[in-house]
Amino acid sequence: MKVENNELHLFDPNMTYGINSSLFWGQKWTLDLSLNDENETDIIGWKTTMGYCECDRDGYDPLLELFGVQYENVNISIRNAVMAVDGPGTTFMYSSDHGMIRSSHYSWWLQSGYGWDLLGE
């Protein structure tokens, strides 16, 4: 990981085709560390209230509770554009104060997914 210009870049300089990590699902991602306070949403289970879309979009949750811990102003980065061609979707929930809070990877075809959650502070 590398922070540059208020963005978190996830990459592995030794990998030709991505990142060898279950947290970042093998992709080279860039996440904006600034709060994206334009699209407020809530988390219900492992989904957002923004609804299904085979697109990339960003939002935030002003108060996310996960396993009894409350996190304020959590960025939510949904990367579902590849679902339009039957690929898997990915969602990151993070903040500049707490780092990565949740990372999930899922398939419309299988109606299932898996992920990683921060277990408290």
Side-chain angles (χ1 to χ4, degrees):
M1 290 186 265
K2 178 170 118 179
V3 175
E4 188 174 73
N5 298 326
N6 208 37
E7 293 180 328
L8 176 64
H9 301 278
L10 311 170
F11 70 101
D12 184 340
N14 299 317
M15 296 295 293
T16 303
Y17 297 106
I19 300 171
N20 190 15
S21 167
S22 295
L23 181 60
F24 304 116
W25 318 114
Q27 301 295 316
K28 297 176 182 178
W29 300 104
T30 298
L31 301 173
D32 189 349
L33 294 174
S34 302
L35 179 63
N36 178 359
D37 60 358
E38 293 182 22
N39 297 316
E40 184 175 334
T41 188
D42 286 317
I43 306 304
I44 299 174
W46 57 278
K47 297 179 182 180
T48 70
T49 56
M50 284 196 270
Y52 180 74
C53 175
E54 293 175 344
C55 61
D56 294 343
R57 58 187 166 176
D58 298 301
Y60 86 108
D61 190 337
L63 187 60
L64 170 66
E65 184 171 334
L66 185 63
F67 302 114
V69 178
Q70 291 186 340
Y71 302 97
E72 293 182 357
N73 298 321
V74 174
N75 281 318
I76 300 170
S77 179
I78 300 171
R79 300 292 162 244
N80 288 352
V82 297
M83 293 181 87
V85 291
D86 297 337
T90 302
T91 298
F92 298 109
M93 298 179 197
Y94 64 96
S95 75
S96 58
D97 291 335
H98 302 286
M100 190 64 66
I101 298 168
R102 172 176 280 174
S103 173
S104 58
H105 199 64
Y106 37 85
S107 167
W108 185 91
W109 292 103
L110 300 175
Q111 289 295 296
S112 65
Y114 50 96
W116 176 93
D117 291 320
L118 180 63
L119 297 177
E121 303 232 352

